[in-house]
Amino acid sequence: YKFCNVYRELDRGTQYFQAQMAARGGQGRDVGGVLFASVAYRLVNRVDTFVRTGGIPTPEGLTRFVNTLIKMRKARETIFTDQHQTGDH
């Protein structure tokens, strides 16, 4: 099974998230911005989606991000990952 690395620092998604926050410079240190980015990232939880949409959205870029997701969905592109889904199995 392809799954996340239990040592989070080596997980592809964690590395992507950290790189995105570092690229934001001072914005990447804003607690509210990092919290927003964390929630957005973990809800989608798929690096390829963020690469396709131009990165993890900021609050200001949320509308553009959602519009891109809508286009992806209409094109039947994969948006989410089910790796962390839990349910009645």
Side-chain angles (χ1 to χ4, degrees):
Y1 294 98
K2 182 178 176 186
F3 200 68
C4 68
N5 192 313
V6 293
Y7 181 63
R8 298 301 295 173
E9 298 299 314
L10 298 179
D11 179 70
R12 178 177 180 236
T14 300
Q15 290 177 346
Y16 178 79
F17 181 83
Q18 289 174 342
Q20 287 280 299
M21 294 301 97
R24 292 183 184 183
Q27 275 188 320
R29 293 187 192 99
D30 170 56
V31 174
V34 172
L35 179 60
F36 181 87
S38 296
V39 171
Y41 182 79
R42 292 300 170 196
L43 283 173
V44 174
N45 205 34
R46 187 168 184 267
V47 171
D48 295 337
T49 298
F50 290 107
V51 169
R52 169 84 163 77
T53 60
I56 300 170
T58 61
E60 299 79 24
L62 184 60
T63 300
R64 183 183 60 79
F65 177 74
V66 170
N67 288 337
T68 303
L69 293 181
I70 290 168
K71 290 176 188 174
M72 289 175 69
R73 182 174 177 184
K74 286 180 180 177
R76 299 192 176 270
E77 294 180 44
T78 301
I79 296 172
F80 304 101
T81 180
D82 61 358
Q83 289 180 348
H84 303 286
Q85 298 292 323
T86 56
D88 300 318
H89 295 276

